Amino acid sequence: MIPDSSTVFINCKLMLSYLYLIVVYYKYMAGATKVEKYRSFLDAENVKDVQWRFGTPPNYDVVDKLFEEGRTKLWPAGSLEEKVQNIVKTWEMEMFHKTRPEDFRTVDPEKFTLCVNGRQGLTMGEIVKINGGYNAMLQTRLPEHYRVYNPAEESADSSHFVFTTAFPRGFALEILQVYAGPPVIVYKFRHWGFMEGHFKGHVPTGEKAEFQGIAIFELDENSKIVKVELFYDRGELLGGLVKGEKTNDSSSGMASSCPVMRTG
């Protein structure tokens, strides 16, 4: 008996769906088992049983390429600077990608606080309440009508969408100098990326947006981070994102966001 065309069509769709699932599975396994050069706790064993914000562990291939092409320092393997850079990149990965405090490996979630530009420290519970990394790090006392980016209006998903759209190649991080080592680490950092996508209705300029700052990490006797203090001018970053002409539609030109926070 020769199957009719509708049966053949349905079988083809099922086969394509099956092949798609196989591709997704092997891509996931490849990402989970590859060697991560600049961050800890992304090996196959450590990504299991973690509640990831976007469903799967992050892939940093694109932003690592940006980092390697644009960095101004190449720290020797095993040096204090290289170790600090790994700690900072790993902490940022957890801040942006893990949703449960108990999944964090770099910090003591019971003691941890984050202070930005002298503001009152935020606990892990408070960071969760204000919807994640971007909103925690871009807190401001500016009146709302002066805010280019208003953390009070953004969710974890919307903030992720805003910045991964503006920086499709990611937002790289390098350590410029380490002034003191553990247990109290003091360092100077640089973040940069290229505005190749829309930001809050502003058209892409293709220009580099970057800022520098100073940070203090306080570690306990178990080498867990218990306090982070960041000092930087958020206007350095946001000013570079509003140079382009403003369109009427704030979503104009936005591509759908990949479920990976390409930061660090």
Side-chain angles (χ1 to χ4, degrees):
M1 179 178 178
I2 300 175
D4 58 34
S5 58
S6 61
T7 302
V8 173
F9 178 72
I10 291 171
N11 287 337
C12 286
K13 285 187 68 177
L14 290 172
M15 181 61 70
L16 287 172
S17 297
Y18 176 71
L19 291 173
Y20 174 76
L21 289 173
I22 291 175
V23 170
V24 170
Y25 172 77
Y26 279 104
K27 285 182 71 176
Y28 169 77
M29 292 303 296
T33 57
K34 73 170 189 172
V35 176
E36 167 59 53
K37 293 186 288 184
Y38 303 114
R39 299 161 194 85
S40 301
F41 309 125
L42 282 175
D43 56 279
E45 185 63 30
N46 280 296
V47 301
K48 294 190 303 184
D49 303 320
V50 171
Q51 185 172 302
W52 298 101
R53 186 175 300 281
F54 303 106
T56 60
N59 183 304
Y60 284 97
D61 289 347
V62 174
V63 75
D64 283 349
K65 184 173 186 294
L66 178 68
F67 165 71
E68 291 168 352
E69 292 173 348
R71 62 186 167 185
T72 62
K73 306 288 185 180
L74 181 57
W75 301 115
S79 65
L80 174 61
E81 292 84 359
E82 191 258 353
K83 291 177 180 177
V84 169
Q85 191 160 262
N86 176 279
I87 291 171
V88 177
K89 285 177 179 284
T90 303
W91 172 72
E92 282 201 351
M93 175 273 293
E94 294 193 313
M95 283 289 292
F96 287 105
H97 283 282
K98 294 182 177 180
T99 61
R100 297 185 305 193
E102 60 266 31
D103 289 334
F104 281 57
R105 301 290 301 277
T106 58
V107 310
D108 182 334
E110 298 298 320
K111 302 176 184 176
F112 179 78
T113 58
L114 169 65
C115 309
V116 178
N117 292 329
R119 295 174 64 89
Q120 183 176 347
L122 298 170
T123 65
M124 288 295 291
E126 289 169 329
I127 291 170
V128 170
K129 285 181 181 178
I130 62 174
N131 295 313
Y134 273 124
N135 292 332
M137 296 182 192
L138 289 170
Q139 293 292 297
T140 179
R141 293 186 178 92
L142 283 173
E144 292 207 8
H145 59 282
Y146 287 127
R147 298 180 185 183
V148 174
Y149 175 87
N150 187 358
E153 296 178 348
E154 303 291 345
S155 68
D157 287 343
S158 68
S159 63
H160 167 80
F161 184 84
V162 166
F163 286 100
T164 55
T165 297
F167 297 119
R169 285 192 284 158
F171 201 50
L173 165 76
E174 72 168 333
I175 301 303
L176 297 175
Q177 190 168 351
V178 177
Y179 302 106
V184 179
I185 303 171
V186 183
Y187 65 91
K188 184 178 183 180
F189 65 90
R190 169 179 171 249
H191 258 302
W192 76 98
F194 290 87
M195 191 205 177
E196 296 164 330
H198 284 68
F199 175 81
K200 294 291 184 179
H202 291 270
V203 300
T205 64
E207 296 180 5
K208 183 192 297 181
E210 67 178 295
F211 68 91
Q212 297 183 11
I214 300 292
I216 304 171
F217 276 33
E218 184 177 329
L219 279 58
D220 66 10
E221 65 277 6
N222 298 312
S223 297
K224 299 288 188 181
I225 303 168
V226 293
K227 185 176 182 180
V228 170
E229 295 183 79
L230 300 176
F231 301 92
Y232 66 95
D233 182 357
R234 69 196 293 274
E236 282 190 74
L237 165 64
L238 298 175
L241 297 177
V242 295
K243 290 181 178 179
E245 181 183 352
K246 183 76 181 287
T247 63
N248 292 326
D249 181 3
S250 63
S251 64
S252 174
M254 286 186 176
S256 62
S257 175
C258 172
V260 173
M261 176 54 239
R262 294 183 291 270
T263 297

